[in-house]
PDB file of all heavy atoms in Angstrom:
ATOM      1  N   ASN A   1       0.776  -1.244  -0.015  1.00  0.00           N
ATOM      2  CA  ASN A   1       0.049   0.044   0.068  1.00  0.00           C
ATOM      3  C   ASN A   1       0.890   1.127  -0.013  1.00  0.00           C
ATOM      4  O   ASN A   1       0.583   2.211  -0.618  1.00  0.00           O
ATOM      5  CB  ASN A   1      -0.831  -0.003   1.220  1.00  0.00           C
ATOM      6  CG  ASN A   1      -2.019  -1.140   1.234  1.00  0.00           C
ATOM      7  OD1 ASN A   1      -2.173  -1.759   0.201  1.00  0.00           O
ATOM      8  ND2 ASN A   1      -2.700  -1.247   2.238  1.00  0.00           N
ATOM      9  N   HIS A   2       1.851   1.385   0.791  1.00  0.00           N
ATOM     10  CA  HIS A   2       2.693   2.452   0.948  1.00  0.00           C
ATOM     11  C   HIS A   2       3.583   2.719  -0.431  1.00  0.00           C
ATOM     12  O   HIS A   2       3.722   3.773  -0.813  1.00  0.00           O
ATOM     13  CB  HIS A   2       3.644   2.408   2.088  1.00  0.00           C
ATOM     14  CG  HIS A   2       2.875   2.817   3.425  1.00  0.00           C
ATOM     15  ND1 HIS A   2       2.158   1.866   4.114  1.00  0.00           N
ATOM     16  CD2 HIS A   2       2.783   3.932   4.021  1.00  0.00           C
ATOM     17  CE1 HIS A   2       1.542   2.433   5.170  1.00  0.00           C
ATOM     18  NE2 HIS A   2       2.030   3.717   5.103  1.00  0.00           N
ATOM     19  N   ASP A   3       4.091   1.502  -1.003  1.00  0.00           N
ATOM     20  CA  ASP A   3       4.817   1.645  -2.227  1.00  0.00           C
ATOM     21  C   ASP A   3       3.785   2.339  -3.249  1.00  0.00           C
ATOM     22  O   ASP A   3       4.165   3.227  -4.024  1.00  0.00           O
ATOM     23  CB  ASP A   3       5.206   0.385  -2.871  1.00  0.00           C
ATOM     24  CG  ASP A   3       6.359  -0.232  -2.114  1.00  0.00           C
ATOM     25  OD1 ASP A   3       7.186   0.501  -1.379  1.00  0.00           O
ATOM     26  OD2 ASP A   3       6.637  -1.379  -2.169  1.00  0.00           O
ATOM     27  N   PHE A   4       2.578   1.919  -3.302  1.00  0.00           N
ATOM     28  CA  PHE A   4       1.610   2.490  -4.262  1.00  0.00           C
ATOM     29  C   PHE A   4       1.227   3.954  -3.768  1.00  0.00           C
ATOM     30  O   PHE A   4       1.069   4.704  -4.730  1.00  0.00           O
ATOM     31  CB  PHE A   4       0.394   1.554  -4.183  1.00  0.00           C
ATOM     32  CG  PHE A   4      -0.563   1.784  -5.354  1.00  0.00           C
ATOM     33  CD1 PHE A   4      -0.481   0.999  -6.486  1.00  0.00           C
ATOM     34  CD2 PHE A   4      -1.578   2.686  -5.427  1.00  0.00           C
ATOM     35  CE1 PHE A   4      -1.267   1.108  -7.582  1.00  0.00           C
ATOM     36  CE2 PHE A   4      -2.287   2.963  -6.461  1.00  0.00           C
ATOM     37  CZ  PHE A   4      -2.241   2.181  -7.541  1.00  0.00           C
ATOM     38  N   PHE A   5       1.180   4.335  -2.620  1.00  0.00           N
ATOM     39  CA  PHE A   5       0.721   5.613  -2.149  1.00  0.00           C
ATOM     40  C   PHE A   5       1.851   6.586  -2.742  1.00  0.00           C
ATOM     41  O   PHE A   5       1.572   7.564  -3.254  1.00  0.00           O
ATOM     42  CB  PHE A   5       0.711   5.613  -0.712  1.00  0.00           C
ATOM     43  CG  PHE A   5       0.416   7.013  -0.071  1.00  0.00           C
ATOM     44  CD1 PHE A   5      -0.653   7.701  -0.525  1.00  0.00           C
ATOM     45  CD2 PHE A   5       1.130   7.510   0.939  1.00  0.00           C
ATOM     46  CE1 PHE A   5      -0.915   9.059   0.069  1.00  0.00           C
ATOM     47  CE2 PHE A   5       0.868   8.748   1.469  1.00  0.00           C
ATOM     48  CZ  PHE A   5      -0.112   9.460   1.083  1.00  0.00           C
ATOM     49  N   TRP A   6       3.161   6.326  -2.485  1.00  0.00           N
ATOM     50  CA  TRP A   6       4.155   7.157  -2.877  1.00  0.00           C
ATOM     51  C   TRP A   6       4.198   7.443  -4.413  1.00  0.00           C
ATOM     52  O   TRP A   6       4.258   8.665  -4.915  1.00  0.00           O
ATOM     53  CB  TRP A   6       5.666   6.700  -2.562  1.00  0.00           C
ATOM     54  CG  TRP A   6       5.754   6.241  -1.035  1.00  0.00           C
ATOM     55  CD1 TRP A   6       6.294   5.097  -0.660  1.00  0.00           C
ATOM     56  CD2 TRP A   6       5.454   6.940   0.066  1.00  0.00           C
ATOM     57  NE1 TRP A   6       6.443   5.094   0.786  1.00  0.00           N
ATOM     58  CE2 TRP A   6       5.833   6.142   1.178  1.00  0.00           C
ATOM     59  CE3 TRP A   6       4.809   8.149   0.278  1.00  0.00           C
ATOM     60  CZ2 TRP A   6       5.592   6.562   2.487  1.00  0.00           C
ATOM     61  CZ3 TRP A   6       4.502   8.647   1.502  1.00  0.00           C
ATOM     62  CH2 TRP A   6       4.948   7.849   2.626  1.00  0.00           C
ATOM     63  N   ASP A   7       3.874   6.334  -5.237  1.00  0.00           N
ATOM     64  CA  ASP A   7       3.735   6.500  -6.612  1.00  0.00           C
ATOM     65  C   ASP A   7       2.520   7.182  -7.078  1.00  0.00           C
ATOM     66  O   ASP A   7       2.414   7.699  -8.210  1.00  0.00           O
ATOM     67  CB  ASP A   7       3.666   5.144  -7.228  1.00  0.00           C
ATOM     68  CG  ASP A   7       5.066   4.405  -7.236  1.00  0.00           C
ATOM     69  OD1 ASP A   7       6.084   5.153  -7.057  1.00  0.00           O
ATOM     70  OD2 ASP A   7       5.033   3.129  -7.366  1.00  0.00           O
ATOM     71  N   SER A   8       1.446   7.486  -6.124  1.00  0.00           N
ATOM     72  CA  SER A   8       0.269   8.193  -6.548  1.00  0.00           C
ATOM     73  C   SER A   8       0.468   9.679  -6.411  1.00  0.00           C
ATOM     74  O   SER A   8      -0.396  10.407  -6.787  1.00  0.00           O
ATOM     75  CB  SER A   8      -0.857   7.666  -5.599  1.00  0.00           C
ATOM     76  OG  SER A   8      -1.277   6.409  -5.813  1.00  0.00           O
ATOM     77  N   MET A   9       1.661  10.072  -6.041  1.00  0.00           N
ATOM     78  CA  MET A   9       1.873  11.548  -5.809  1.00  0.00           C
ATOM     79  C   MET A   9       3.173  12.079  -6.585  1.00  0.00           C
ATOM     80  O   MET A   9       3.970  11.083  -6.930  1.00  0.00           O
ATOM     81  CB  MET A   9       2.148  11.911  -4.307  1.00  0.00           C
ATOM     82  CG  MET A   9       0.990  11.565  -3.407  1.00  0.00           C
ATOM     83  SD  MET A   9       1.139  12.015  -1.688  1.00  0.00           S
ATOM     84  CE  MET A   9       2.468  10.801  -1.226  1.00  0.00           C
ATOM     85  N   LYS A  10       3.159  13.229  -6.840  1.00  0.00           N
ATOM     86  CA  LYS A  10       4.486  13.927  -7.500  1.00  0.00           C
ATOM     87  C   LYS A  10       4.349  15.369  -7.052  1.00  0.00           C
ATOM     88  O   LYS A  10       3.508  15.961  -6.777  1.00  0.00           O
ATOM     89  CB  LYS A  10       4.350  13.687  -8.936  1.00  0.00           C
ATOM     90  CG  LYS A  10       3.242  14.529  -9.682  1.00  0.00           C
ATOM     91  CD  LYS A  10       3.521  14.610 -11.188  1.00  0.00           C
ATOM     92  CE  LYS A  10       2.665  15.768 -11.875  1.00  0.00           C
ATOM     93  NZ  LYS A  10       2.837  15.737 -13.330  1.00  0.00           N
ATOM     94  N   PRO A  11       5.629  15.882  -7.175  1.00  0.00           N
ATOM     95  CA  PRO A  11       5.719  17.402  -6.976  1.00  0.00           C
ATOM     96  C   PRO A  11       5.021  18.101  -8.120  1.00  0.00           C
ATOM     97  O   PRO A  11       5.038  17.745  -9.229  1.00  0.00           O
ATOM     98  CB  PRO A  11       7.199  17.681  -7.046  1.00  0.00           C
ATOM     99  CG  PRO A  11       7.901  16.332  -6.820  1.00  0.00           C
ATOM    100  CD  PRO A  11       7.025  15.298  -7.322  1.00  0.00           C
ATOM    101  N   GLY A  12       4.236  19.057  -7.745  1.00  0.00           N
ATOM    102  CA  GLY A  12       3.587  19.842  -8.717  1.00  0.00           C
ATOM    103  C   GLY A  12       2.311  19.084  -9.223  1.00  0.00           C
ATOM    104  O   GLY A  12       1.934  19.292 -10.386  1.00  0.00           O
ATOM    105  N   GLY A  13       1.764  18.215  -8.496  1.00  0.00           N
ATOM    106  CA  GLY A  13       0.572  17.329  -8.945  1.00  0.00           C
ATOM    107  C   GLY A  13      -0.704  17.999  -8.797  1.00  0.00           C
ATOM    108  O   GLY A  13      -0.822  19.140  -8.565  1.00  0.00           O
ATOM    109  N   GLY A  14      -1.747  17.131  -8.804  1.00  0.00           N
ATOM    110  CA  GLY A  14      -3.093  17.630  -8.528  1.00  0.00           C
ATOM    111  C   GLY A  14      -3.714  18.122  -9.813  1.00  0.00           C
ATOM    112  O   GLY A  14      -3.262  17.819 -10.973  1.00  0.00           O
ATOM    113  N   GLY A  15      -4.887  18.939  -9.515  1.00  0.00           N
ATOM    114  CA  GLY A  15      -5.439  19.425 -10.743  1.00  0.00           C
ATOM    115  C   GLY A  15      -6.466  18.317 -11.423  1.00  0.00           C
ATOM    116  O   GLY A  15      -7.064  17.539 -10.566  1.00  0.00           O
ATOM    117  N   LYS A  16      -6.487  18.318 -12.702  1.00  0.00           N
ATOM    118  CA  LYS A  16      -7.494  17.427 -13.399  1.00  0.00           C
ATOM    119  C   LYS A  16      -6.699  16.598 -14.449  1.00  0.00           C
ATOM    120  O   LYS A  16      -5.765  17.155 -15.144  1.00  0.00           O
ATOM    121  CB  LYS A  16      -8.545  18.368 -14.106  1.00  0.00           C
ATOM    122  CG  LYS A  16      -9.706  17.594 -14.664  1.00  0.00           C
ATOM    123  CD  LYS A  16     -10.572  18.696 -15.151  1.00  0.00           C
ATOM    124  CE  LYS A  16     -11.883  18.084 -15.718  1.00  0.00           C
ATOM    125  NZ  LYS A  16     -12.853  19.171 -16.202  1.00  0.00           N
ATOM    126  N   PRO A  17      -7.068  15.411 -14.533  1.00  0.00           N
ATOM    127  CA  PRO A  17      -6.411  14.504 -15.671  1.00  0.00           C
ATOM    128  C   PRO A  17      -6.865  14.907 -16.985  1.00  0.00           C
ATOM    129  O   PRO A  17      -7.638  15.768 -17.246  1.00  0.00           O
ATOM    130  CB  PRO A  17      -6.940  13.107 -15.187  1.00  0.00           C
ATOM    131  CG  PRO A  17      -8.253  13.342 -14.538  1.00  0.00           C
ATOM    132  CD  PRO A  17      -8.046  14.532 -13.886  1.00  0.00           C
ATOM    133  N   SER A  18      -6.303  14.150 -17.982  1.00  0.00           N
ATOM    134  CA  SER A  18      -6.587  14.523 -19.422  1.00  0.00           C
ATOM    135  C   SER A  18      -6.697  13.168 -20.123  1.00  0.00           C
ATOM    136  O   SER A  18      -6.528  12.121 -19.535  1.00  0.00           O
ATOM    137  CB  SER A  18      -5.620  15.341 -19.970  1.00  0.00           C
ATOM    138  OG  SER A  18      -4.350  14.876 -19.958  1.00  0.00           O
ATOM    139  N   GLY A  19      -6.981  13.198 -21.450  1.00  0.00           N
ATOM    140  CA  GLY A  19      -6.883  12.104 -22.315  1.00  0.00           C
ATOM    141  C   GLY A  19      -7.959  10.907 -21.862  1.00  0.00           C
ATOM    142  O   GLY A  19      -9.094  11.210 -21.479  1.00  0.00           O
ATOM    143  N   GLU A  20      -7.474   9.739 -22.182  1.00  0.00           N
ATOM    144  CA  GLU A  20      -8.368   8.502 -21.915  1.00  0.00           C
ATOM    145  C   GLU A  20      -8.747   8.411 -20.487  1.00  0.00           C
ATOM    146  O   GLU A  20      -9.864   7.923 -20.090  1.00  0.00           O
ATOM    147  CB  GLU A  20      -7.735   7.309 -22.417  1.00  0.00           C
ATOM    148  CG  GLU A  20      -7.608   7.116 -23.929  1.00  0.00           C
ATOM    149  CD  GLU A  20      -8.891   7.247 -24.568  1.00  0.00           C
ATOM    150  OE1 GLU A  20      -9.845   6.556 -24.074  1.00  0.00           O
ATOM    151  OE2 GLU A  20      -9.043   7.965 -25.536  1.00  0.00           O
ATOM    152  N   LEU A  21      -8.006   8.823 -19.528  1.00  0.00           N
ATOM    153  CA  LEU A  21      -8.315   8.787 -18.199  1.00  0.00           C
ATOM    154  C   LEU A  21      -9.502   9.686 -17.846  1.00  0.00           C
ATOM    155  O   LEU A  21     -10.478   9.197 -17.234  1.00  0.00           O
ATOM    156  CB  LEU A  21      -7.114   8.988 -17.254  1.00  0.00           C
ATOM    157  CG  LEU A  21      -7.410   9.300 -15.653  1.00  0.00           C
ATOM    158  CD1 LEU A  21      -8.046   7.810 -15.162  1.00  0.00           C
ATOM    159  CD2 LEU A  21      -6.149   9.619 -14.946  1.00  0.00           C
ATOM    160  N   LEU A  22      -9.403  10.802 -18.235  1.00  0.00           N
ATOM    161  CA  LEU A  22     -10.502  11.824 -18.060  1.00  0.00           C
ATOM    162  C   LEU A  22     -11.914  11.292 -18.753  1.00  0.00           C
ATOM    163  O   LEU A  22     -12.868  11.387 -18.129  1.00  0.00           O
ATOM    164  CB  LEU A  22     -10.145  13.192 -18.617  1.00  0.00           C
ATOM    165  CG  LEU A  22     -11.245  14.197 -18.339  1.00  0.00           C
ATOM    166  CD1 LEU A  22     -11.670  14.390 -16.930  1.00  0.00           C
ATOM    167  CD2 LEU A  22     -10.770  15.623 -18.964  1.00  0.00           C
ATOM    168  N   LYS A  23     -11.671  10.725 -19.975  1.00  0.00           N
ATOM    169  CA  LYS A  23     -12.843  10.275 -20.564  1.00  0.00           C
ATOM    170  C   LYS A  23     -13.495   9.075 -19.773  1.00  0.00           C
ATOM    171  O   LYS A  23     -14.663   9.050 -19.641  1.00  0.00           O
ATOM    172  CB  LYS A  23     -12.599   9.711 -22.011  1.00  0.00           C
ATOM    173  CG  LYS A  23     -12.177  10.791 -22.981  1.00  0.00           C
ATOM    174  CD  LYS A  23     -11.828  10.271 -24.383  1.00  0.00           C
ATOM    175  CE  LYS A  23     -11.354  11.461 -25.308  1.00  0.00           C
ATOM    176  NZ  LYS A  23     -11.016  10.823 -26.680  1.00  0.00           N
ATOM    177  N   SER A  24     -12.674   8.168 -19.279  1.00  0.00           N
ATOM    178  CA  SER A  24     -13.224   7.052 -18.467  1.00  0.00           C
ATOM    179  C   SER A  24     -13.802   7.504 -17.194  1.00  0.00           C
ATOM    180  O   SER A  24     -14.909   7.014 -16.869  1.00  0.00           O
ATOM    181  CB  SER A  24     -12.009   6.091 -18.267  1.00  0.00           C
ATOM    182  OG  SER A  24     -11.520   5.485 -19.338  1.00  0.00           O
ATOM    183  N   ILE A  25     -13.213   8.508 -16.540  1.00  0.00           N
ATOM    184  CA  ILE A  25     -13.903   9.042 -15.294  1.00  0.00           C
ATOM    185  C   ILE A  25     -15.180   9.758 -15.737  1.00  0.00           C
ATOM    186  O   ILE A  25     -16.143   9.470 -14.947  1.00  0.00           O
ATOM    187  CB  ILE A  25     -12.880  10.038 -14.600  1.00  0.00           C
ATOM    188  CG1 ILE A  25     -11.615   9.320 -13.991  1.00  0.00           C
ATOM    189  CG2 ILE A  25     -13.627  10.877 -13.667  1.00  0.00           C
ATOM    190  CD1 ILE A  25     -10.607  10.193 -13.465  1.00  0.00           C
ATOM    191  N   GLU A  26     -15.194  10.479 -16.677  1.00  0.00           N
ATOM    192  CA  GLU A  26     -16.440  11.108 -16.993  1.00  0.00           C
ATOM    193  C   GLU A  26     -17.727  10.067 -17.342  1.00  0.00           C
ATOM    194  O   GLU A  26     -18.734  10.326 -17.177  1.00  0.00           O
ATOM    195  CB  GLU A  26     -16.216  12.153 -18.115  1.00  0.00           C
ATOM    196  CG  GLU A  26     -15.446  13.388 -17.646  1.00  0.00           C
ATOM    197  CD  GLU A  26     -15.072  14.282 -18.844  1.00  0.00           C
ATOM    198  OE1 GLU A  26     -15.083  13.963 -20.068  1.00  0.00           O
ATOM    199  OE2 GLU A  26     -14.727  15.455 -18.491  1.00  0.00           O
TER     200      GLU A  26
END
């Protein structure tokens, strides 16, 4: 879980996704 959690973040992250991920979420 913690390995996965660190990979879920990045410096300057956040906001809104784009591309196929955004289409799938919508």
Side-chain angles (χ1 to χ4, degrees):
N1 293 350
H2 281 82
D3 286 342
F4 197 93
F5 178 53
W6 309 135
D7 286 344
S8 292
M9 297 182 288
K10 71 168 191 174
K16 191 174 181 177
S18 59
E20 290 302 315
L21 173 60
L22 180 58
K23 291 178 182 178
S24 295
I25 288 174
E26 291 174 339

